[in-house]
Amino acid sequence: MNAPAEVAEDEQSWEEEAGGWSWSTGATANTAVVLRWAMWGLILLGPLLGSAAFLSRPASAGLARQQPPVAAPATGSQGAAGFAQLFVAAYISAGDGDQTKLTPFFPGATDLRLEGASGQRRGDQLTVVRLRQSDRDIWSVTVAAHVTTVTGASAGADGASPAADSSAGATTAPAAAAGSAGSVHYFQVPVATAPAGGGASGYVALAMPAEVAAPPRIQAPALVYGPWRPALPGDPLTAAVTEFLTSYLTGTGDLTRYLSPGTQLTAISPAPYTALAVDELAVEGEQSGTQLTTVPPGGTRLRVLVQLRATGPDGLRVPLTYALTLQTRAGRWEIASLDGAPAQATTPSSTSS
């Protein structure tokens, strides 16, 4: 029981030497005692801390497992669209006895009653005009088709009018049967998708096509351009767009000389036209009766619609419209971009009274 005496001696030694910032032998011993107790404390607490960490780990993993799974993105839309196009094409040309041509798309077609000759109607220019997901793994595909009806003699399986039997003394039918001018029809097809073997996707129609109304035509939005006006020969804008589009469409000259620095465009190759004439311009900011006749300061940007007629190798002239953004540099207009669509005017926000 001499520990208190040792501590007292240590305190006395510290007091005597405090002025000189020195430790006594007793103070060193006392420090060693404290360190020993600290080490024993860590040894005792170590297993407890390890157990707490181990017990907390399953709880965290459990919380992670309880998180809802991330929904997979919708897939199969492209395949469903193509499948519906093939189905509609087969459906339009199907006639009496063609049920087996439709069953690869719709298994229930075996029980259908089909009338008319096979190939009596034809569907051309098929394209998907609407595609939406109506339910999980089910797509509603609307296909537009230009439908014509073959007239004259009975159409064969390929849609052509077969020749009459010459042994019966009949005359030979015309090589090309006359057909109606046709019209555009819209067919809606429900297509289900599911994984198939080998990682591919499988498709099946849930019903026969349903003819529906054409998509509604909306009112065109307002654009940033002024009214159409003639492309004047002495107008710097007319000269700039004519030189650029001539090089772009006919391959004449170096296209880069008409481009702003940093603009990357390549002329169409092979050149589809031999000549062109710019007829009209619609220029951003122009009002009726006002035109830009001088080149503004450098760095000025301007959006322009260009209406032209391009002449093909066959001599036929076709109308084309281009949306361009131009920029001034060194007293001339240069092409800054070939825009993907005309620029829409910004609608001013309505203010409450």
Side-chain angles (χ1 to χ4, degrees), residues 20-334:
W21 295 93
S22 61
W23 287 85
S24 65
T25 305
T28 303
N30 186 44
T31 303
V33 172
V34 173
L35 292 176
R36 281 198 301 272
W37 280 109
M39 291 177 63
W40 279 108
L42 290 175
I43 293 173
L44 294 174
L45 290 175
L48 296 177
L49 294 175
S51 299
F54 179 80
L55 292 175
S56 65
R57 182 178 179 182
S60 300
L63 291 175
R65 285 194 298 270
Q66 292 174 3
Q67 293 179 356
V70 178
T75 58
S77 60
Q78 211 170 18
F83 181 86
Q85 283 181 280
L86 294 174
F87 184 23
V88 170
Y91 160 76
I92 292 173
S93 63
D96 186 19
D98 284 342
Q99 287 83 351
T100 55
K101 296 181 180 180
L102 303 180
T103 51
F105 305 97
F106 175 54
T110 54
D111 301 325
L112 291 176
R113 180 179 177 180
L114 300 176
E115 299 181 358
S118 178
Q120 185 173 343
R121 297 195 310 163
R122 293 177 177 174
D124 302 310
Q125 303 172 6
L126 277 74
T127 185
V128 173
V129 297
R130 188 183 185 194
L131 178 64
R132 62 184 179 90
Q133 193 170 19
S134 59
D135 205 342
R136 179 177 176 84
D137 299 327
I138 297 178
W139 294 90
S140 177
V141 187
T142 301
V143 179
H146 183 261
V147 180
T148 56
T149 302
V150 178
T151 59
S154 299
D158 60 351
S161 298
D165 188 356
S166 58
S167 62
T171 58
T172 303
S180 65
S183 58
V184 178
H185 295 247
Y186 299 86
F187 301 95
Q188 182 175 280
V189 183
V191 179
T193 67
S201 296
Y203 307 93
V204 66
L206 301 180
M208 291 293 290
E211 185 151 359
V212 295
R217 186 179 65 181
I218 65 172
Q219 183 178 0
L223 304 178
V224 301
Y225 314 94
W228 288 103
R229 50 95 164 169
L232 303 177
D235 182 6
L237 277 175
T238 300
V241 299
T242 301
E243 292 171 354
F244 162 72
L245 290 171
T246 299
S247 179
Y248 183 72
L249 296 173
T250 69
T252 304
D254 182 10
L255 185 68
T256 58
R257 62 178 297 191
Y258 309 113
L259 305 180
S260 293
T263 301
Q264 301 291 331
L265 289 173
T266 304
I268 302 176
S269 180
Y273 303 103
T274 59
L276 63 86
V278 175
D279 295 325
E280 294 181 304
L281 298 179
V283 182
E284 178 184 10
E286 278 192 357
Q287 302 300 323
S288 179
T290 64
Q291 298 180 11
L292 290 174
T293 57
T294 59
V295 178
T300 301
R301 294 176 70 88
L302 194 64
R303 290 173 288 194
V304 180
L305 276 182
V306 184
Q307 181 71 41
L308 60 90
R309 287 169 299 142
T311 304
D314 56 359
L316 183 66
R317 293 190 297 181
V318 296
L320 299 172
T321 303
Y322 286 87
L324 303 173
T325 298
L326 290 84
Q327 182 169 314
T328 57
R329 185 172 68 98
R332 62 187 292 247
W333 287 104
E334 296 177 331

